[in-house]
Amino acid sequence: MLQIEGIPNYRKLDKHLWADYAEFKCMLSKDKEYTGADLADNLFTAIKDLNVEFDSFNDEQNIIDVPLLKDNEELFINDIFSVINYRSAAYASSYPFYVENKKIKQKKILNQLHRLYLYLLLCSHLRFIPQTNWAVLTGDFEYISSLALKKCLPERAIIKIFGTTKSGGPPQYVGTTFNKIKQLAADLNEVLLANKDDFAPTASKDKGIDLVAWIPFKDKQNSRLICFGQCKCSDQWPAMRFSSSLAQWNNWIHFNNHLNNFAFIPYCYRKTGGSWFDKSSIGDTIVVDRQRIIELIESLGKTFKFSSLSSDKFLSQLLDTSKSATV
């Protein structure tokens, strides 16, 4: 059903992605284990096939970039497992793996949060997933992100999905792009700046936002807390993080107050120690990564059931298939 061949084109410095790779290999292995030695074997096999040298690679290039010199191999693998050890401590009982030295082993009994973690791992690397399954995974991510956003706001906050709902629910803003923006401006009681002629007659895209939220008042006036959110399963999300920002949307709607820009990402965007992997990529954005999503969903308690989502079926099939397959 799913097989990772070779090694992904991550840079050496993308330790958080290499840690995901190790977790992926563990999840898909027959014995549900993955070690530093396994990672070394995978790297050396790829190196042998490519017949290249470590010094020919550069961290600034988005190409296969792995340590080939023996002096660097152990340090590199230690760094990856340092990230994994951080995750084990940070996610605590929500982490679906046991960690011992340079070995991870998937837990035999997976609760709702364990399955949520593995699901977010899948969403972080759609390149490994058959494209026919993307819509289900990304649709459920949109829904999970809306639940996480709701936990960030007061109970009376209104949260809507902008554009077409990939999760299968009824669309909450309909028609052309212009009509959707017009409906949104009316909901927020803000001044519409966009003109119908600004968009192609058949344009219907969401213009960079997936979620919109605001805190209503009985007077229905503007000057209120407003949040826009993106739900991105692409590792290129930093380049798109401002498409839901005030600077972008002030072209179409005049906002009386600052717009809170959220970016929901399934990645664990952390270095060892818990700091952001790249602080400069955050900008004027409230980033809710894998760690924050699980923290927020965990606070829902038993009201959240990952098993009720369509993605749970795909995850179950994946885990069952990997029991009898070697990757």
Side-chain angles (χ1 to χ4, degrees), residues 131-291:
Q131 194 166 350
T132 52
N133 301 106
W134 287 9
V136 170
L137 295 174
T138 57
D140 283 344
F141 183 66
E142 198 174 68
Y143 169 69
I144 288 170
S145 297
S146 72
L147 295 181
L149 179 58
K150 190 173 183 63
K151 289 299 296 184
C152 293
L153 300 172
E155 287 188 13
R156 64 196 186 95
I158 296 174
I159 299 175
K160 291 188 177 183
I161 295 177
F162 192 78
T164 304
T165 55
K166 301 172 186 174
S167 54
Q172 294 168 306
Y173 293 94
V174 297
T176 63
T177 297
F178 173 73
N179 284 336
K180 292 175 182 177
I181 293 175
K182 184 178 180 180
Q183 294 167 45
L184 179 59
D187 271 350
L188 301 176
N189 200 29
E190 300 286 1
V191 177
L192 178 68
L193 299 178
N195 294 305
K196 191 174 183 178
D197 294 339
D198 294 336
F199 309 94
T202 58
S204 60
K205 293 185 177 181
D206 57 23
K207 287 300 178 183
I209 61 171
D210 298 303
L211 303 174
V212 59
W214 66 92
I215 299 177
F217 290 97
K218 290 182 179 179
D219 61 21
K220 297 183 180 179
Q221 298 301 305
N222 59 13
S223 184
R224 64 179 79 175
L225 181 75
I226 299 174
C227 303
F228 281 6
Q230 288 183 311
C231 310
K232 291 298 180 186
C233 295
S234 167
D235 57 8
Q236 302 301 312
W237 69 267
M240 301 177 282
R241 67 190 183 282
F242 294 128
S243 63
S244 56
S245 68
L246 179 65
Q248 177 69 29
W249 274 81
N250 254 343
N251 295 314
W252 301 307
I253 299 175
H254 176 267
F255 293 93
N256 190 68
N257 296 88
H258 182 76
L259 186 66
N260 294 280
N261 184 31
F262 280 77
F264 294 89
I265 57 174
Y267 298 88
C268 183
Y269 200 62
R270 312 277 174 150
K271 295 189 292 188
T272 301
S275 60
W276 294 120
F277 169 69
D278 180 7
K279 291 181 180 179
S280 66
S281 68
I282 303 301
D284 189 18
T285 309
I286 302 170
V287 175
V288 184
D289 70 338
R290 185 185 306 167
Q291 184 171 321

Side-chain angles (χ1 to χ4, degrees), residues 25-181:
K25 295 290 283 187
C26 177
M27 178 176 63
L28 298 180
S29 66
K30 186 175 181 180
D31 59 5
K32 304 298 183 185
E33 291 186 1
Y34 194 72
T35 68
D38 293 329
L39 178 56
D41 288 343
N42 290 149
L43 295 177
F44 274 117
T45 298
I47 294 317
K48 183 179 179 181
D49 292 342
L50 291 170
N51 192 27
V52 292
E53 295 295 334
F54 175 72
D55 288 340
S56 67
F57 288 115
N58 188 305
D59 264 338
E60 299 304 318
Q61 296 173 312
N62 189 24
I63 58 177
I64 294 176
D65 187 359
V66 294
L68 309 184
L69 299 178
K70 291 187 177 180
D71 290 343
N72 291 333
E73 175 206 335
E74 185 175 357
L75 178 61
F76 177 78
I77 292 173
N78 286 343
D79 285 347
I80 302 307
F81 277 85
S82 291
V83 175
I84 291 172
N85 281 320
Y86 161 75
R87 293 181 181 184
S88 179
Y91 290 89
S93 60
S94 302
Y95 195 57
F97 304 99
Y98 296 112
V99 184
E100 182 180 354
N101 296 323
K102 285 185 282 189
K103 181 175 78 172
I104 57 174
K105 184 176 179 63
Q106 184 181 296
K107 294 177 179 178
K108 291 184 177 180
I109 300 177
L110 300 174
N111 61 32
Q112 296 288 314
L113 292 177
H114 294 152
R115 298 178 76 83
L116 174 61
Y117 184 99
L118 295 177
Y119 158 76
L120 294 174
L121 181 63
L122 295 178
C123 288
S124 300
H125 303 277
L126 292 179
R127 70 182 73 189
F128 299 151
I129 311 296
Q131 194 166 350
T132 52
N133 301 106
W134 287 9
V136 170
L137 295 174
T138 57
D140 283 344
F141 183 66
E142 198 174 68
Y143 169 69
I144 288 170
S145 297
S146 72
L147 295 181
L149 179 58
K150 190 173 183 63
K151 289 299 296 184
C152 293
L153 300 172
E155 287 188 13
R156 64 196 186 95
I158 296 174
I159 299 175
K160 291 188 177 183
I161 295 177
F162 192 78
T164 304
T165 55
K166 301 172 186 174
S167 54
Q172 294 168 306
Y173 293 94
V174 297
T176 63
T177 297
F178 173 73
N179 284 336
K180 292 175 182 177
I181 293 175

